[in-house]
Amino acid sequence: PFLENNYQIQGRQVLIENNEKYILDTIPKEGPEINSISAYVKIKIDSVKDILNVSANFVYKGEEKNKLFYYYHSWASDKKNENMKKYLSGHNKNISITDITAVDFEDRDKPLNISIDFNIDNGIIRAAKELYVNINEGIDFTMNSFDTSRVNDYEFNNTFSFNTTIEMTIPTGYDVTYLPEKTDVDYKYFTGNYSYEMKNNNTIVLKKQFVLKKDIVKKIDFNEWNTEANQINKFLKDQLIFKKI
């Protein structure tokens, strides 16, 4: 894309011709925020079918956008819609995508906007008068844990940032009895900030921000990484609890 340098050449030296002379310069290395996915999500509970109805808008920038462009244009024309659903659902069989609106898979110079509607099965557990709900199912990734027997360092394709806001309407006839506590992780490889809050007495707002600061994780740090990552995974797997009034 115009005015964007591929992640793989950032930080490298370049020789620039300047009339009869040459200038040795370095291609600027961008921060993780340039490669981002931002999401705004609304969730409602279908208390009859016990599923979550979800509407979401995703904005892809930088390498996260380029990656999706590459996949999209590599898919056969008659398989694009099917493969896009698999990609966006993370191949999660509990997710049924009912509608996708994408703008625009031809213009690489702009952020890529994708809006989808989908349902999530198995996101609700009933127990007597209580509902246990995981609103992160299918909307956020869980953190990688590294096999400490691995011989080599681990390299990500690029640094990146994910920013997500989720709003969920409290089901009619229920009160909230439990929200997971705020979790903040500030680690040398990544930061994560996760918190719930109430809005207008009938809406729960979840805000999540994750930033991968380094693209290579040293083998010597695998145990430490796993410990820090488990804090985030614990938050993401925790369930909200509602009690029937």
Side-chain angles (χ1 to χ4, degrees), residues 15-25:
L15 199 61
I16 304 171
E17 185 177 359
N18 182 25
N19 295 323
E20 296 181 357
K21 298 181 179 181
Y22 291 89
I23 301 172
L24 184 63
D25 204 350

Side-chain angles (χ1 to χ4, degrees), residues 45-165:
I45 292 177
D46 185 329
S47 57
V48 176
K49 297 180 180 179
D50 278 351
I51 61 175
L52 301 177
N53 300 135
V54 185
S55 294
N57 177 255
F58 297 92
V59 180
Y60 295 78
K61 296 180 180 179
E63 293 300 317
E64 297 305 309
K65 176 191 69 177
N66 296 340
K67 188 190 309 178
L68 188 46
F69 263 88
Y70 171 79
Y71 291 140
Y72 182 82
H73 289 291
S74 70
W75 294 328
S77 297
D78 60 343
K79 296 289 184 180
K80 287 188 186 297
N81 190 58
E82 176 187 347
N83 287 332
M84 179 61 73
K85 286 183 177 181
K86 290 179 180 178
Y87 181 90
L88 294 174
S89 68
H91 297 267
N92 188 330
K93 293 181 179 179
N94 291 321
I95 294 178
S96 302
I97 295 180
T98 56
D99 186 58
I100 300 176
T101 303
V103 186
D104 146 9
F105 269 108
E106 299 304 325
D107 191 344
R108 293 178 179 268
D109 293 332
K110 295 180 181 179
L112 176 62
N113 286 269
I114 299 179
S115 296
I116 62 174
D117 295 327
F118 58 99
N119 300 320
I120 302 176
D121 295 326
N122 298 327
I124 302 172
I125 298 174
R126 285 183 179 271
K129 293 185 177 182
E130 292 183 320
L131 295 179
Y132 295 80
V133 181
N134 183 354
I135 66 174
N136 289 295
E137 173 72 23
I139 298 173
D140 210 339
F141 68 100
T142 53
M143 291 290 295
N144 289 338
S145 291
F146 293 116
D147 182 353
T148 54
S149 65
R150 179 186 171 96
V151 175
N152 299 317
D153 299 340
Y154 185 89
E155 184 173 2
F156 289 89
N157 291 327
N158 51 266
T159 58
F160 56 81
S161 66
F162 292 163
N163 296 280
T164 304
T165 298

Side-chain angles (χ1 to χ4, degrees), residues 177-240:
T177 59
Y178 173 74
L179 293 176
E181 293 184 3
K182 180 180 180 181
T183 295
D184 294 311
V185 178
D186 188 1
Y187 180 42
K188 62 184 177 182
Y189 287 108
F190 59 78
T191 58
N193 305 101
Y194 303 81
S195 63
Y196 285 95
E197 62 183 32
M198 294 294 300
K199 174 182 173 183
N200 300 329
N201 296 320
N202 68 342
T203 303
I204 295 170
V205 180
L206 169 57
K207 294 185 178 180
K208 302 185 286 186
Q209 182 181 53
F210 177 85
V211 178
L212 181 69
K213 297 187 284 187
K214 298 181 180 181
D215 56 2
I216 298 178
V217 183
K218 298 295 185 182
K219 172 181 167 51
I220 195 174
D221 293 325
F222 283 177
N223 272 322
E224 190 176 72
W225 169 289
N226 291 345
T227 298
E228 299 293 336
N230 282 341
Q231 295 185 61
I232 294 176
N233 287 338
K234 181 180 178 182
F235 179 94
L236 294 176
K237 293 176 181 178
D238 207 356
Q239 296 173 312
L240 285 63

